[in-house]
Amino acid sequence: MTTTLTSAVKPRAEDSFAITFAPLSLEEIYAKSDDPANGAVVVMSGMVRNQTDGKPVIALEYQAYEPMALRIFYQIAADIRLSMSDVNRVAIYHRVGRLRVGEISVLVAVGSPHRSEAFEACQYAIDTLKHNAPIWKKEHWQDGSSTWVSIGACETSGENC
């Protein structure tokens, strides 16, 4: 699958996307991905962990260029449907603002008649989001310092941010 932004992709009514300051709800995103034709719903939940490369983290702060990030989310769903036409629902939600350890920063959910498609589509969605979406995070360290990191830079450097 290849992501291109040559034309504006419109989201499908059955899909759901957001950049939000509000806490993310697994139940809400699952419900948005559910459909009577589904045999599987795969949900990926990204959370703030307490360390990066052994260095203690106390919080993450996310910022996004929302109009472009949402266009990337729409394109991800369109790309999924080009290669996996049976996918029924796609939901991609990302938080912005300051999040504490243990809080959910991103939820991706895909509903499909078959689990293999749902797993593949969900992995494609999170990997592509992390590589292409204009979302940045600032890691706040226990020692009081902080560092901005582009999520895409984590993927290209081989780090698992």
Side-chain angles (χ1 to χ4, degrees), residues 12 36 59 77 81 105 114:
R12 290 178 118 177
R81 289 210 168 77
S105 57
H114 306 287

Side-chain angles (χ1 to χ4, degrees), residues 24-78:
L24 299 177
S25 162
L26 281 167
E27 295 82 9
E28 179 184 341
I29 302 309
Y30 183 93
K32 289 180 182 297
S33 305
D34 202 8
D35 184 273
N38 287 344
V41 173
V42 172
V43 180
M44 196 295 304
S45 172
M47 299 164 40
V48 178
R49 63 177 176 260
N50 65 358
Q51 59 80 32
T52 298
D53 296 329
K55 189 173 179 182
V57 171
I58 59 167
L60 294 180
E61 181 180 339
Y62 287 94
Q63 288 187 4
Y65 178 51
E66 185 173 348
M68 183 183 251
L70 289 171
R71 283 201 332 250
I72 297 286
F73 294 178
Y74 305 158
Q75 184 66 52
I76 289 168

Side-chain angles (χ1 to χ4, degrees), residues 110-133:
V110 176
S112 177
H114 306 287
R115 69 181 178 272
S116 61
E117 290 174 334
F119 274 110
E120 183 181 346
C122 193
Q123 179 160 7
Y124 172 80
I126 189 62
D127 290 349
T128 305
L129 177 158
K130 289 187 78 163
H131 186 73
N132 294 344

Side-chain angles (χ1 to χ4, degrees), residues 64-126:
Y65 178 51
E66 185 173 348
M68 183 183 251
L70 289 171
R71 283 201 332 250
I72 297 286
F73 294 178
Y74 305 158
Q75 184 66 52
I76 289 168
D79 289 347
I80 286 169
R81 289 210 168 77
L82 282 174
S83 65
M84 293 172 262
S85 59
D86 285 347
V87 167
N88 293 315
R89 304 272 173 106
V90 177
I92 304 172
Y93 280 61
H94 205 296
R95 277 191 73 188
V96 290
R98 189 178 175 108
L99 285 70
R100 296 181 316 268
V101 170
E103 289 189 276
I104 299 171
S105 57
V106 61
L107 285 173
V108 175
V110 176
S112 177
H114 306 287
R115 69 181 178 272
S116 61
E117 290 174 334
F119 274 110
E120 183 181 346
C122 193
Q123 179 160 7
Y124 172 80
I126 189 62

Side-chain angles (χ1 to χ4, degrees), residues 149-161:
V149 180
S150 165
I151 293 177
C154 296
E155 295 300 307
T156 57
S157 71
E159 292 182 36
N160 187 12
C161 300

